[in-house]
PDB file of all heavy atoms in Angstrom:
ATOM      1  N   PRO A  50    -104.096   6.963 -63.731  1.00  0.00           N
ATOM      2  CA  PRO A  50    -102.669   7.269 -63.796  1.00  0.00           C
ATOM      3  C   PRO A  50    -102.408   8.505 -64.664  1.00  0.00           C
ATOM      4  O   PRO A  50    -103.081   8.723 -65.672  1.00  0.00           O
ATOM      5  CB  PRO A  50    -102.066   6.019 -64.443  1.00  0.00           C
ATOM      6  CG  PRO A  50    -103.174   5.425 -65.253  1.00  0.00           C
ATOM      7  CD  PRO A  50    -104.479   5.873 -64.650  1.00  0.00           C
ATOM      8  N   ILE A  51    -101.430   9.271 -64.266  1.00  0.00           N
ATOM      9  CA  ILE A  51    -100.975  10.405 -65.084  1.00  0.00           C
ATOM     10  C   ILE A  51     -99.638   9.998 -65.697  1.00  0.00           C
ATOM     11  O   ILE A  51     -98.760   9.507 -65.000  1.00  0.00           O
ATOM     12  CB  ILE A  51    -100.775  11.676 -64.222  1.00  0.00           C
ATOM     13  CG1 ILE A  51    -102.016  11.974 -63.360  1.00  0.00           C
ATOM     14  CG2 ILE A  51    -100.400  12.866 -65.102  1.00  0.00           C
ATOM     15  CD1 ILE A  51    -103.291  12.223 -64.120  1.00  0.00           C
ATOM     16  N   SER A  52     -99.495  10.227 -66.980  1.00  0.00           N
ATOM     17  CA  SER A  52     -98.225   9.909 -67.631  1.00  0.00           C
ATOM     18  C   SER A  52     -97.328  11.146 -67.594  1.00  0.00           C
ATOM     19  O   SER A  52     -97.579  12.134 -68.283  1.00  0.00           O
ATOM     20  CB  SER A  52     -98.483   9.443 -69.067  1.00  0.00           C
ATOM     21  OG  SER A  52     -97.317   8.842 -69.592  1.00  0.00           O
ATOM     22  N   LEU A  53     -96.302  11.061 -66.741  1.00  0.00           N
ATOM     23  CA  LEU A  53     -95.355  12.180 -66.635  1.00  0.00           C
ATOM     24  C   LEU A  53     -94.423  12.143 -67.848  1.00  0.00           C
ATOM     25  O   LEU A  53     -93.927  11.081 -68.223  1.00  0.00           O
ATOM     26  CB  LEU A  53     -94.517  12.074 -65.356  1.00  0.00           C
ATOM     27  CG  LEU A  53     -95.120  12.664 -64.094  1.00  0.00           C
ATOM     28  CD1 LEU A  53     -96.230  11.762 -63.555  1.00  0.00           C
ATOM     29  CD2 LEU A  53     -94.050  12.859 -63.022  1.00  0.00           C
ATOM     30  N   HIS A  54     -94.188  13.291 -68.423  1.00  0.00           N
ATOM     31  CA  HIS A  54     -93.359  13.385 -69.620  1.00  0.00           C
ATOM     32  C   HIS A  54     -91.898  13.512 -69.226  1.00  0.00           C
ATOM     33  O   HIS A  54     -91.508  14.460 -68.548  1.00  0.00           O
ATOM     34  CB  HIS A  54     -93.812  14.564 -70.466  1.00  0.00           C
ATOM     35  CG  HIS A  54     -93.927  15.851 -69.694  1.00  0.00           C
ATOM     36  ND1 HIS A  54     -94.505  15.937 -68.442  1.00  0.00           N
ATOM     37  CD2 HIS A  54     -93.509  17.113 -69.985  1.00  0.00           C
ATOM     38  CE1 HIS A  54     -94.434  17.187 -68.011  1.00  0.00           C
ATOM     39  NE2 HIS A  54     -93.841  17.911 -68.927  1.00  0.00           N
ATOM     40  N   ALA A  99     -89.618  13.532 -57.783  1.00  0.00           N
ATOM     41  CA  ALA A  99     -90.950  14.066 -58.099  1.00  0.00           C
ATOM     42  C   ALA A  99     -92.037  13.088 -57.654  1.00  0.00           C
ATOM     43  O   ALA A  99     -93.012  13.469 -56.997  1.00  0.00           O
ATOM     44  CB  ALA A  99     -91.066  14.349 -59.597  1.00  0.00           C
ATOM     45  N   LEU A 100     -91.855  11.808 -57.992  1.00  0.00           N
ATOM     46  CA  LEU A 100     -92.897  10.812 -57.692  1.00  0.00           C
ATOM     47  C   LEU A 100     -93.072  10.619 -56.188  1.00  0.00           C
ATOM     48  O   LEU A 100     -94.152  10.235 -55.731  1.00  0.00           O
ATOM     49  CB  LEU A 100     -92.556   9.477 -58.376  1.00  0.00           C
ATOM     50  CG  LEU A 100     -92.661   9.508 -59.908  1.00  0.00           C
ATOM     51  CD1 LEU A 100     -92.013   8.267 -60.527  1.00  0.00           C
ATOM     52  CD2 LEU A 100     -94.126   9.620 -60.362  1.00  0.00           C
ATOM     53  N   VAL A 102     -93.391  12.809 -54.018  1.00  0.00           N
ATOM     54  CA  VAL A 102     -94.289  13.819 -53.425  1.00  0.00           C
ATOM     55  C   VAL A 102     -95.592  13.954 -54.221  1.00  0.00           C
ATOM     56  O   VAL A 102     -96.336  14.926 -54.055  1.00  0.00           O
ATOM     57  CB  VAL A 102     -93.576  15.190 -53.269  1.00  0.00           C
ATOM     58  CG1 VAL A 102     -92.419  15.070 -52.275  1.00  0.00           C
ATOM     59  CG2 VAL A 102     -93.079  15.733 -54.594  1.00  0.00           C
ATOM     60  N   ILE A 103     -95.838  12.978 -55.088  1.00  0.00           N
ATOM     61  CA  ILE A 103     -97.088  12.945 -55.869  1.00  0.00           C
ATOM     62  C   ILE A 103     -97.877  11.726 -55.423  1.00  0.00           C
ATOM     63  O   ILE A 103     -97.364  10.607 -55.497  1.00  0.00           O
ATOM     64  CB  ILE A 103     -96.780  12.870 -57.385  1.00  0.00           C
ATOM     65  CG1 ILE A 103     -96.055  14.134 -57.857  1.00  0.00           C
ATOM     66  CG2 ILE A 103     -98.065  12.643 -58.187  1.00  0.00           C
ATOM     67  CD1 ILE A 103     -95.452  14.020 -59.252  1.00  0.00           C
ATOM     68  N   PRO A 104     -99.117  11.899 -54.957  1.00  0.00           N
ATOM     69  CA  PRO A 104     -99.873  10.725 -54.515  1.00  0.00           C
ATOM     70  C   PRO A 104    -100.308   9.863 -55.699  1.00  0.00           C
ATOM     71  O   PRO A 104    -100.571  10.376 -56.779  1.00  0.00           O
ATOM     72  CB  PRO A 104    -101.093  11.339 -53.812  1.00  0.00           C
ATOM     73  CG  PRO A 104    -101.264  12.681 -54.437  1.00  0.00           C
ATOM     74  CD  PRO A 104     -99.877  13.151 -54.808  1.00  0.00           C
ATOM     75  N   HIS A 107     -98.305   6.144 -61.063  1.00  0.00           N
ATOM     76  CA  HIS A 107     -98.409   6.817 -62.358  1.00  0.00           C
ATOM     77  C   HIS A 107     -97.586   6.144 -63.450  1.00  0.00           C
ATOM     78  O   HIS A 107     -97.201   4.990 -63.316  1.00  0.00           O
ATOM     79  CB  HIS A 107     -98.089   8.301 -62.163  1.00  0.00           C
ATOM     80  CG  HIS A 107     -99.035   8.925 -61.193  1.00  0.00           C
ATOM     81  ND1 HIS A 107    -100.352   9.139 -61.502  1.00  0.00           N
ATOM     82  CD2 HIS A 107     -98.896   9.287 -59.880  1.00  0.00           C
ATOM     83  CE1 HIS A 107    -100.976   9.633 -60.441  1.00  0.00           C
ATOM     84  NE2 HIS A 107    -100.115   9.725 -59.449  1.00  0.00           N
ATOM     85  N   ARG A 108     -97.344   6.886 -64.515  1.00  0.00           N
ATOM     86  CA  ARG A 108     -96.637   6.337 -65.669  1.00  0.00           C
ATOM     87  C   ARG A 108     -95.538   7.311 -66.080  1.00  0.00           C
ATOM     88  O   ARG A 108     -95.576   8.485 -65.702  1.00  0.00           O
ATOM     89  CB  ARG A 108     -97.609   6.139 -66.845  1.00  0.00           C
ATOM     90  CG  ARG A 108     -98.845   5.322 -66.506  1.00  0.00           C
ATOM     91  CD  ARG A 108     -99.804   5.209 -67.693  1.00  0.00           C
ATOM     92  NE  ARG A 108     -99.237   4.515 -68.824  1.00  0.00           N
ATOM     93  CZ  ARG A 108     -99.225   3.197 -68.957  1.00  0.00           C
ATOM     94  NH1 ARG A 108     -99.779   2.425 -68.051  1.00  0.00           N
ATOM     95  NH2 ARG A 108     -98.672   2.632 -70.023  1.00  0.00           N
ATOM     96  N   VAL A 316     -95.980  25.301 -67.614  1.00  0.00           N
ATOM     97  CA  VAL A 316     -96.344  24.333 -66.570  1.00  0.00           C
ATOM     98  C   VAL A 316     -97.858  24.399 -66.321  1.00  0.00           C
ATOM     99  O   VAL A 316     -98.448  25.482 -66.258  1.00  0.00           O
ATOM    100  CB  VAL A 316     -95.590  24.652 -65.252  1.00  0.00           C
ATOM    101  CG1 VAL A 316     -96.009  23.669 -64.151  1.00  0.00           C
ATOM    102  CG2 VAL A 316     -94.079  24.595 -65.478  1.00  0.00           C
ATOM    103  N   VAL A 317     -98.462  23.230 -66.184  1.00  0.00           N
ATOM    104  CA  VAL A 317     -99.911  23.144 -65.968  1.00  0.00           C
ATOM    105  C   VAL A 317    -100.275  23.724 -64.601  1.00  0.00           C
ATOM    106  O   VAL A 317     -99.738  23.313 -63.575  1.00  0.00           O
ATOM    107  CB  VAL A 317    -100.358  21.671 -66.091  1.00  0.00           C
ATOM    108  CG1 VAL A 317    -101.762  21.467 -65.570  1.00  0.00           C
ATOM    109  CG2 VAL A 317    -100.246  21.212 -67.543  1.00  0.00           C
ATOM    110  N   THR A 318    -101.155  24.708 -64.614  1.00  0.00           N
ATOM    111  CA  THR A 318    -101.638  25.294 -63.364  1.00  0.00           C
ATOM    112  C   THR A 318    -103.134  25.007 -63.228  1.00  0.00           C
ATOM    113  O   THR A 318    -103.791  24.544 -64.175  1.00  0.00           O
ATOM    114  CB  THR A 318    -101.369  26.817 -63.324  1.00  0.00           C
ATOM    115  OG1 THR A 318    -101.925  27.412 -64.506  1.00  0.00           O
ATOM    116  CG2 THR A 318     -99.879  27.113 -63.282  1.00  0.00           C
ATOM    117  N   LEU A 323    -108.135  23.776 -67.048  1.00  0.00           N
ATOM    118  CA  LEU A 323    -107.719  22.465 -66.523  1.00  0.00           C
ATOM    119  C   LEU A 323    -108.890  21.787 -65.807  1.00  0.00           C
ATOM    120  O   LEU A 323    -109.130  20.587 -65.982  1.00  0.00           O
ATOM    121  CB  LEU A 323    -106.524  22.615 -65.568  1.00  0.00           C
ATOM    122  CG  LEU A 323    -105.977  21.271 -65.082  1.00  0.00           C
ATOM    123  CD1 LEU A 323    -105.288  20.507 -66.213  1.00  0.00           C
ATOM    124  CD2 LEU A 323    -105.019  21.446 -63.903  1.00  0.00           C
ATOM    125  N   LEU A 343     -98.989  14.468 -69.656  1.00  0.00           N
ATOM    126  CA  LEU A 343     -98.634  15.890 -69.541  1.00  0.00           C
ATOM    127  C   LEU A 343     -97.640  16.235 -70.642  1.00  0.00           C
ATOM    128  O   LEU A 343     -96.886  15.376 -71.106  1.00  0.00           O
ATOM    129  CB  LEU A 343     -98.005  16.160 -68.175  1.00  0.00           C
ATOM    130  CG  LEU A 343     -98.868  15.789 -66.964  1.00  0.00           C
ATOM    131  CD1 LEU A 343     -98.083  15.990 -65.665  1.00  0.00           C
ATOM    132  CD2 LEU A 343    -100.149  16.617 -66.942  1.00  0.00           C
ATOM    133  N   TYR A 345     -95.308  19.657 -71.254  1.00  0.00           N
ATOM    134  CA  TYR A 345     -94.825  21.041 -71.150  1.00  0.00           C
ATOM    135  C   TYR A 345     -93.336  20.972 -70.844  1.00  0.00           C
ATOM    136  O   TYR A 345     -92.828  19.921 -70.443  1.00  0.00           O
ATOM    137  CB  TYR A 345     -95.586  21.831 -70.062  1.00  0.00           C
ATOM    138  CG  TYR A 345     -95.622  21.174 -68.700  1.00  0.00           C
ATOM    139  CD1 TYR A 345     -94.521  21.255 -67.843  1.00  0.00           C
ATOM    140  CD2 TYR A 345     -96.741  20.491 -68.271  1.00  0.00           C
ATOM    141  CE1 TYR A 345     -94.557  20.667 -66.583  1.00  0.00           C
ATOM    142  CE2 TYR A 345     -96.778  19.889 -67.017  1.00  0.00           C
ATOM    143  CZ  TYR A 345     -95.686  19.981 -66.182  1.00  0.00           C
ATOM    144  OH  TYR A 345     -95.718  19.385 -64.942  1.00  0.00           O
ATOM    145  N   VAL A 353     -87.752  19.657 -61.389  1.00  0.00           N
ATOM    146  CA  VAL A 353     -88.484  18.654 -60.597  1.00  0.00           C
ATOM    147  C   VAL A 353     -89.771  19.285 -60.058  1.00  0.00           C
ATOM    148  O   VAL A 353     -90.847  18.686 -60.104  1.00  0.00           O
ATOM    149  CB  VAL A 353     -87.600  18.124 -59.451  1.00  0.00           C
ATOM    150  CG1 VAL A 353     -88.372  17.126 -58.592  1.00  0.00           C
ATOM    151  CG2 VAL A 353     -86.329  17.484 -60.000  1.00  0.00           C
ATOM    152  N   ALA A 354     -89.635  20.513 -59.578  1.00  0.00           N
ATOM    153  CA  ALA A 354     -90.822  21.226 -59.088  1.00  0.00           C
ATOM    154  C   ALA A 354     -91.849  21.390 -60.206  1.00  0.00           C
ATOM    155  O   ALA A 354     -93.061  21.280 -59.974  1.00  0.00           O
ATOM    156  CB  ALA A 354     -90.422  22.593 -58.517  1.00  0.00           C
ATOM    157  N   ALA A 355     -91.378  21.626 -61.415  1.00  0.00           N
ATOM    158  CA  ALA A 355     -92.304  21.783 -62.547  1.00  0.00           C
ATOM    159  C   ALA A 355     -93.129  20.514 -62.751  1.00  0.00           C
ATOM    160  O   ALA A 355     -94.338  20.576 -62.987  1.00  0.00           O
ATOM    161  CB  ALA A 355     -91.517  22.125 -63.821  1.00  0.00           C
ATOM    162  N   TRP A 356     -92.474  19.354 -62.643  1.00  0.00           N
ATOM    163  CA  TRP A 356     -93.220  18.081 -62.733  1.00  0.00           C
ATOM    164  C   TRP A 356     -94.257  17.987 -61.619  1.00  0.00           C
ATOM    165  O   TRP A 356     -95.398  17.603 -61.842  1.00  0.00           O
ATOM    166  CB  TRP A 356     -92.273  16.898 -62.552  1.00  0.00           C
ATOM    167  CG  TRP A 356     -91.710  16.272 -63.772  1.00  0.00           C
ATOM    168  CD1 TRP A 356     -92.349  16.048 -64.959  1.00  0.00           C
ATOM    169  CD2 TRP A 356     -90.380  15.743 -63.904  1.00  0.00           C
ATOM    170  NE1 TRP A 356     -91.490  15.406 -65.821  1.00  0.00           N
ATOM    171  CE2 TRP A 356     -90.287  15.203 -65.212  1.00  0.00           C
ATOM    172  CE3 TRP A 356     -89.270  15.669 -63.067  1.00  0.00           C
ATOM    173  CZ2 TRP A 356     -89.115  14.602 -65.687  1.00  0.00           C
ATOM    174  CZ3 TRP A 356     -88.123  15.070 -63.527  1.00  0.00           C
ATOM    175  CH2 TRP A 356     -88.037  14.549 -64.829  1.00  0.00           C
ATOM    176  N   VAL A 357     -93.797  18.303 -60.404  1.00  0.00           N
ATOM    177  CA  VAL A 357     -94.664  18.130 -59.229  1.00  0.00           C
ATOM    178  C   VAL A 357     -95.878  19.064 -59.326  1.00  0.00           C
ATOM    179  O   VAL A 357     -97.014  18.646 -59.102  1.00  0.00           O
ATOM    180  CB  VAL A 357     -93.865  18.401 -57.931  1.00  0.00           C
ATOM    181  CG1 VAL A 357     -94.794  18.342 -56.714  1.00  0.00           C
ATOM    182  CG2 VAL A 357     -92.712  17.410 -57.784  1.00  0.00           C
ATOM    183  N   ILE A 358     -95.625  20.303 -59.670  1.00  0.00           N
ATOM    184  CA  ILE A 358     -96.716  21.287 -59.740  1.00  0.00           C
ATOM    185  C   ILE A 358     -97.750  20.843 -60.777  1.00  0.00           C
ATOM    186  O   ILE A 358     -98.955  20.808 -60.511  1.00  0.00           O
ATOM    187  CB  ILE A 358     -96.151  22.690 -60.081  1.00  0.00           C
ATOM    188  CG1 ILE A 358     -95.294  23.210 -58.921  1.00  0.00           C
ATOM    189  CG2 ILE A 358     -97.292  23.669 -60.392  1.00  0.00           C
ATOM    190  CD1 ILE A 358     -94.406  24.398 -59.289  1.00  0.00           C
ATOM    191  N   GLY A 359     -97.283  20.493 -61.953  1.00  0.00           N
ATOM    192  CA  GLY A 359     -98.211  20.126 -63.026  1.00  0.00           C
ATOM    193  C   GLY A 359     -98.981  18.851 -62.715  1.00  0.00           C
ATOM    194  O   GLY A 359    -100.193  18.762 -62.969  1.00  0.00           O
ATOM    195  N   THR A 360     -98.297  17.863 -62.168  1.00  0.00           N
ATOM    196  CA  THR A 360     -98.963  16.577 -61.912  1.00  0.00           C
ATOM    197  C   THR A 360     -99.941  16.704 -60.752  1.00  0.00           C
ATOM    198  O   THR A 360    -101.069  16.197 -60.807  1.00  0.00           O
ATOM    199  CB  THR A 360     -97.923  15.478 -61.614  1.00  0.00           C
ATOM    200  OG1 THR A 360     -96.893  15.523 -62.600  1.00  0.00           O
ATOM    201  CG2 THR A 360     -98.579  14.104 -61.631  1.00  0.00           C
ATOM    202  N   ARG A 361     -99.512  17.380 -59.678  1.00  0.00           N
ATOM    203  CA  ARG A 361    -100.441  17.556 -58.551  1.00  0.00           C
ATOM    204  C   ARG A 361    -101.659  18.366 -59.003  1.00  0.00           C
ATOM    205  O   ARG A 361    -102.783  18.085 -58.576  1.00  0.00           O
ATOM    206  CB  ARG A 361     -99.714  18.211 -57.359  1.00  0.00           C
ATOM    207  CG  ARG A 361     -98.788  17.218 -56.634  1.00  0.00           C
ATOM    208  CD  ARG A 361     -98.023  17.848 -55.469  1.00  0.00           C
ATOM    209  NE  ARG A 361     -98.846  18.357 -54.396  1.00  0.00           N
ATOM    210  CZ  ARG A 361     -98.851  17.897 -53.137  1.00  0.00           C
ATOM    211  NH1 ARG A 361     -98.090  16.861 -52.790  1.00  0.00           N
ATOM    212  NH2 ARG A 361     -99.596  18.452 -52.218  1.00  0.00           N
ATOM    213  N   ASN A 362    -101.458  19.339 -59.851  1.00  0.00           N
ATOM    214  CA  ASN A 362    -102.607  20.118 -60.335  1.00  0.00           C
ATOM    215  C   ASN A 362    -103.554  19.263 -61.168  1.00  0.00           C
ATOM    216  O   ASN A 362    -104.775  19.385 -61.051  1.00  0.00           O
ATOM    217  CB  ASN A 362    -102.129  21.318 -61.146  1.00  0.00           C
ATOM    218  CG  ASN A 362    -101.722  22.463 -60.245  1.00  0.00           C
ATOM    219  OD1 ASN A 362    -102.217  22.578 -59.125  1.00  0.00           O
ATOM    220  ND2 ASN A 362    -100.811  23.292 -60.703  1.00  0.00           N
ATOM    221  N   MET A 363    -102.990  18.412 -62.012  1.00  0.00           N
ATOM    222  CA  MET A 363    -103.852  17.522 -62.812  1.00  0.00           C
ATOM    223  C   MET A 363    -104.692  16.659 -61.890  1.00  0.00           C
ATOM    224  O   MET A 363    -105.900  16.491 -62.094  1.00  0.00           O
ATOM    225  CB  MET A 363    -102.962  16.658 -63.720  1.00  0.00           C
ATOM    226  CG  MET A 363    -103.728  15.806 -64.711  1.00  0.00           C
ATOM    227  SD  MET A 363    -104.489  16.794 -66.005  1.00  0.00           S
ATOM    228  CE  MET A 363    -106.224  16.467 -65.757  1.00  0.00           C
ATOM    229  N   LEU A 364    -104.073  16.130 -60.854  1.00  0.00           N
ATOM    230  CA  LEU A 364    -104.799  15.271 -59.907  1.00  0.00           C
ATOM    231  C   LEU A 364    -105.841  16.067 -59.125  1.00  0.00           C
ATOM    232  O   LEU A 364    -106.963  15.588 -58.895  1.00  0.00           O
ATOM    233  CB  LEU A 364    -103.805  14.600 -58.946  1.00  0.00           C
ATOM    234  CG  LEU A 364    -102.892  13.549 -59.596  1.00  0.00           C
ATOM    235  CD1 LEU A 364    -101.769  13.154 -58.638  1.00  0.00           C
ATOM    236  CD2 LEU A 364    -103.702  12.309 -59.991  1.00  0.00           C
ATOM    237  N   ARG A 365    -105.487  17.269 -58.711  1.00  0.00           N
ATOM    238  CA  ARG A 365    -106.460  18.095 -57.970  1.00  0.00           C
ATOM    239  C   ARG A 365    -107.669  18.397 -58.841  1.00  0.00           C
ATOM    240  O   ARG A 365    -108.810  18.376 -58.377  1.00  0.00           O
ATOM    241  CB  ARG A 365    -105.796  19.398 -57.519  1.00  0.00           C
ATOM    242  CG  ARG A 365    -104.850  19.221 -56.345  1.00  0.00           C
ATOM    243  CD  ARG A 365    -103.922  20.397 -56.227  1.00  0.00           C
ATOM    244  NE  ARG A 365    -104.558  21.574 -55.625  1.00  0.00           N
ATOM    245  CZ  ARG A 365    -104.023  22.788 -55.647  1.00  0.00           C
ATOM    246  NH1 ARG A 365    -102.875  23.000 -56.268  1.00  0.00           N
ATOM    247  NH2 ARG A 365    -104.633  23.792 -55.066  1.00  0.00           N
ATOM    248  N   ALA A 366    -107.405  18.683 -60.112  1.00  0.00           N
ATOM    249  CA  ALA A 366    -108.519  18.984 -61.021  1.00  0.00           C
ATOM    250  C   ALA A 366    -109.414  17.759 -61.190  1.00  0.00           C
ATOM    251  O   ALA A 366    -110.650  17.868 -61.204  1.00  0.00           O
ATOM    252  CB  ALA A 366    -107.979  19.450 -62.371  1.00  0.00           C
ATOM    253  N   LEU A 367    -108.795  16.584 -61.298  1.00  0.00           N
ATOM    254  CA  LEU A 367    -109.592  15.356 -61.431  1.00  0.00           C
ATOM    255  C   LEU A 367    -110.394  15.096 -60.161  1.00  0.00           C
ATOM    256  O   LEU A 367    -111.552  14.657 -60.221  1.00  0.00           O
ATOM    257  CB  LEU A 367    -108.675  14.165 -61.743  1.00  0.00           C
ATOM    258  CG  LEU A 367    -108.127  14.134 -63.169  1.00  0.00           C
ATOM    259  CD1 LEU A 367    -106.931  13.177 -63.277  1.00  0.00           C
ATOM    260  CD2 LEU A 367    -109.217  13.720 -64.166  1.00  0.00           C
ATOM    261  N   TRP A 405    -108.337  16.733 -50.726  1.00  0.00           N
ATOM    262  CA  TRP A 405    -107.016  16.577 -51.368  1.00  0.00           C
ATOM    263  C   TRP A 405    -105.912  16.412 -50.324  1.00  0.00           C
ATOM    264  O   TRP A 405    -105.061  15.525 -50.432  1.00  0.00           O
ATOM    265  CB  TRP A 405    -106.742  17.773 -52.268  1.00  0.00           C
ATOM    266  CG  TRP A 405    -105.332  17.883 -52.775  1.00  0.00           C
ATOM    267  CD1 TRP A 405    -104.410  18.826 -52.445  1.00  0.00           C
ATOM    268  CD2 TRP A 405    -104.675  16.987 -53.704  1.00  0.00           C
ATOM    269  NE1 TRP A 405    -103.224  18.594 -53.110  1.00  0.00           N
ATOM    270  CE2 TRP A 405    -103.358  17.478 -53.882  1.00  0.00           C
ATOM    271  CE3 TRP A 405    -105.063  15.845 -54.384  1.00  0.00           C
ATOM    272  CZ2 TRP A 405    -102.430  16.848 -54.721  1.00  0.00           C
ATOM    273  CZ3 TRP A 405    -104.133  15.218 -55.224  1.00  0.00           C
ATOM    274  CH2 TRP A 405    -102.843  15.717 -55.384  1.00  0.00           C
TER     275      TRP A 405
END
Side-chain angles (χ1 to χ4, degrees):
I51 309 299
S52 194
L53 274 75
H54 51 316
L100 291 167
V102 296
I103 296 168
H107 301 290
R108 307 177 63 84
V316 178
V317 167
T318 54
L323 185 69
L343 302 175
Y345 53 80
V353 178
W356 266 321
V357 175
I358 293 165
T360 312
R361 285 178 62 116
N362 279 334
M363 187 70 242
L364 291 169
R365 285 162 78 193
L367 286 164
W405 169 248

